[in-house]
Amino acid sequence: MTENERNYIRILVQKNVPIEIADETKKILSVCDNLPDTLKNPVVTDEEKHSIIRQIFPKEVQSFVISVCDGGAVDSLARMIDEYTELCIEKQGSIRAVVRYVTPLTETQQEDMKSFIKEKFGRNDVNIEYRCDPDIIGGFILNAGDYEYDKSYRTSLKLMRETLKHRTNKLNSSEAPDALEGEIDHAKRANDIISVLKSEVSDFDHKSGVTETGYITRMGDGIAVIHGMNHVMYGELVEFENGVRGIIQNIETRTCGAVLLGSDHGLTEGSSVTRTGKRAGVGVSDALLGRVVDALGSPIDGLGTIPAEDYFPIEREAPGVVERKSVTVPLETGILAIDSMFPIGRGQRELIIGDRQTGKTSIAVDTIINQKGKDVICVYVAIGQKSSTVAKLVNTLKENGAMDYSIVVSASASDPAPFQYIAPYSGTAMAEYFMAKGKDVLIVYDDLSKHAVAYRAMSLLLHRPPGREAYPGDVFYLHSRLLERSSRMDDEHGGGSITALPIIETLAGDVSAYIPTNVISITDGQIFLESELFFSGMRPAVNVGLSVSRVGGAAQTKAMKKVSGTLRIDLAQFREMEIFTQFSSELDPATTELLNHGRLLMEILKQPLYSPLPHHEQVIILYAATHGFMKDVPLKEVREFRTNLLGYMRIYANDIIKEIDTEKVLSDDLCKRLEKVISDFKG
Ligand code: ATP
Ligand code: MG
């Protein structure tokens, strides 16, 4: 109800229009279908409109309808009359109720019903309307205020069917028939099922059957405005008449706004909506591993249903400070440029940011592939991507044997905005299920720019005021409450962790746009990918100057710290010198050496797709490069040198490899041995 509409209603209140007249007006409006069109028609003159109104409406409301017509608010006329009637009834201290029945109620039953409603709603009078409705098969349905008391046979039968279906499903899945057992067991099983069903039917008790209901007043673009349901909670799941569910997103006086999680087919103005009393959530279980699901956790890979073990709300408060532990265990990406200079720890949130087609997804996928055998569960959330891209990614994961420990949550570009909005939260709920079991989880949100856009679309449809770049004011909170749920729990709380790799797409490298700055400030660091580097052949295209990892250093191994200590500075000096010496022809030996060393490092950081490097290989390569063993290797042969060196070491110096992997420290003695092996190899 807008302020304008309230002003019009005030006219009715001032005139003290009787309730019977309001009812009559409503009837006239429902009978004359094309009256609103006529009153809105610009071809019809004002005088003609006024004369029509004077001819068909009762005297008491004529001036009201005329002012509404002149003010151009004809469309909300019926709603305003409704609102006025409700106001009047409330003022009188009475209440309206509708009873739908099949067998008419006796006098005493009617009296009982009346006194029940009076007592329940604390009113001194009730106005009950009785309607015969054969559809409900038997029993009755009472609607009063926001409540619906459903004692109909139709609902009882529906509930019984659902319970039985659930029960049979459970029986089937828990006692799956053994292929070796014969037909006798089949018959026995059938008997078992029948006896269980029999007891279910005899024990079946249709609970009180009270639900709070409302009805749709406006509908479209996956959004429904609902009148009634005064006690509905923010974020609650509601059920529409056609069985589709929705989530409450807006709460206003008398109305609320819900986003639909499914098709709006069959829903019209006036369709009923029921509260479920539950918060939106997803079913979780170990069976999710290896599956591709949609934003609600339903499978979309055609591999059958996923039995749920528990129900986790999609929105949950992030763990507090006391429950957390600092980051100390590395989460190895297998990408040399990242593990050496921007190490990521378990429980950290590291942003991957860059323009389109700069290898953002590839870094995330490489990281997932590298978790093989490391007891890390991976969740990949695809938001607003093409279904074909997601299918390709799932294939890549399968080919590399990474799907066994991964879950893919996909809300593709063709899904409605609400699905794209809840997908990352659902993914996090799944991750939290595993974290609660003490597991380490890696979650990738690909990407949060599209998530923000989906949220903007949804918010604008819900009539929330647009702010900067038309995003709603709470777009920061949208991402902060999501990423804050990534954490590392202390041992008392299971010791699990969630590491987040959110992805943000920038436009023309503009990191100071609204959404990128938001997410940069929420996360613990960012890996900045640059198109220029990408196209010059430097892949992964990590910009060393703009990337940073704020907490991961604590998780880096001592060995890696030792070999990568000066890497960033060396590269920074090289880039500066490279620009500086671009046009000079003669260089002194020191500068030449610095440039050559820089070029070598750049070459070493190049890495092809889907070939993550284990920890010891990274350490050995960096050691050889930073200690001058590769000075005389031409740039073109660096890759070959690298492969051969590692092959040589696997055969002749396996003890060194083992020591690096287990001790994770480069002692002086180990360094000496390593140097000797490398010299031997070169010789
Ligand atoms: P989008 O903006 O479309 O999501 P993106 O930034 O996620 O793109 P990717 O899809 O990961 O980028 O990669 C883009 C292309 O670059 C792909 O064709 C991929 O094969 C290639 N690519 C990415 N990283 C590397 C690499 N290290 N070596 C070789 N090719 C790479
Ligand atoms: Mg991508």
Side-chain angles (χ1 to χ4, degrees), residues 506-549:
T506 51
L507 281 173
D510 182 13
V511 277
S512 57
Y514 189 24
I515 303 299
T517 40
N518 276 354
V519 185
I520 285 174
S521 68
I522 296 165
T523 47
D524 308 308
Q526 72 273 351
I527 291 164
F528 184 69
L529 303 177
E530 213 172 29
S531 331
E532 219 170 278
L533 282 173
F534 187 84
F535 294 125
S536 71
M538 179 67 205
R539 298 177 190 183
V542 179
N543 177 320
V544 180
L546 288 178
S547 303
V548 63
S549 170

Side-chain angles (χ1 to χ4, degrees), residues 311-584:
Y311 183 83
F312 269 45
I314 56 170
E315 296 260 11
R316 182 180 268 208
E317 213 171 304
V321 181
V322 183
E323 298 151 45
R324 295 183 186 228
K325 199 160 77 169
S326 59
V327 171
T328 50
V329 182
L331 184 117
E332 283 153 2
T333 63
I335 299 167
L336 186 58
I338 296 175
D339 284 348
S340 60
M341 291 179 286
F342 317 105
I344 301 171
R346 293 190 183 178
Q348 188 181 344
R349 303 152 304 167
E350 181 82 4
L351 172 68
I352 301 172
I353 185 167
D355 281 6
R356 52 177 295 275
Q357 290 289 308
T358 47
K360 303 183 295 297
T361 307
S362 303
I363 287 188
V365 172
D366 270 341
T367 310
I368 293 179
I369 291 172
N370 193 45
Q371 303 314 313
K372 199 171 175 175
K374 292 199 170 78
D375 200 19
V376 175
I377 287 177
C378 303
V379 183
Y380 177 85
V381 186
I383 308 156
Q385 298 191 38
K386 282 182 294 186
S387 299
S388 61
T389 316
V390 179
K392 221 162 86 188
L393 181 130
V394 172
N395 260 342
T396 310
L397 290 182
K398 270 189 193 147
E399 276 162 20
N400 289 284
M403 208 52 203
D404 302 335
Y405 53 85
S406 305
I407 305 168
V408 175
V409 182
S410 168
S412 66
S414 63
D415 283 331
F419 277 84
Q420 297 182 37
Y421 159 60
I422 65 167
Y425 296 97
S426 311
T428 313
M430 292 171 199
E432 276 168 348
Y433 166 74
F434 289 103
M435 177 168 79
K437 289 177 143 196
K439 295 254 188 220
D440 290 314
V441 188
L442 166 74
I443 185 162
V444 178
Y445 305 108
D446 195 0
D447 62 79
L448 290 186
S449 316
K450 296 202 183 77
H451 183 231
V453 169
Y455 185 61
R456 171 169 69 183
M458 216 177 78
S459 302
L460 290 176
L461 288 169
L462 281 164
H463 291 192
R464 290 188 189 162
R468 180 176 160 191
E469 289 175 33
Y471 287 104
D474 63 343
V475 74
F476 183 89
Y477 181 52
L478 172 80
H479 289 149
S480 65
R481 72 172 191 267
L482 172 71
L483 292 166
E484 212 37 44
R485 285 159 73 181
S486 302
S487 62
R488 179 155 182 244
M489 309 301 282
D490 63 11
D491 297 332
E492 243 172 74
H493 295 88
S497 71
I498 297 181
T499 313
L501 289 182
I503 295 178
I504 284 280
E505 185 180 305
T506 51
L507 281 173
D510 182 13
V511 277
S512 57
Y514 189 24
I515 303 299
T517 40
N518 276 354
V519 185
I520 285 174
S521 68
I522 296 165
T523 47
D524 308 308
Q526 72 273 351
I527 291 164
F528 184 69
L529 303 177
E530 213 172 29
S531 331
E532 219 170 278
L533 282 173
F534 187 84
F535 294 125
S536 71
M538 179 67 205
R539 298 177 190 183
V542 179
N543 177 320
V544 180
L546 288 178
S547 303
V548 63
S549 170
R550 289 192 196 99
V551 293
Q556 207 172 23
T557 64
K558 285 216 174 85
M560 184 59 98
K561 255 191 199 138
K562 187 161 180 176
V563 288
S564 65
T566 57
L567 206 56
R568 284 192 75 171
I569 294 178
D570 287 351
L571 282 170
Q573 278 176 347
F574 160 67
R575 270 182 310 147
E576 201 169 289
M577 198 57 86
E578 196 184 29
I579 299 166
F580 192 64
T581 56
Q582 225 166 14
F583 302 107
S584 44

Side-chain angles (χ1 to χ4, degrees), residues 115-130:
S115 52
F116 166 74
I117 299 171
K118 275 191 216 165
E119 195 184 326
K120 178 84 194 166
F121 292 91
R123 303 293 168 86
N124 43 32
D125 194 20
V126 213
N127 173 355
I128 304 186
E129 183 190 333
Y130 289 94

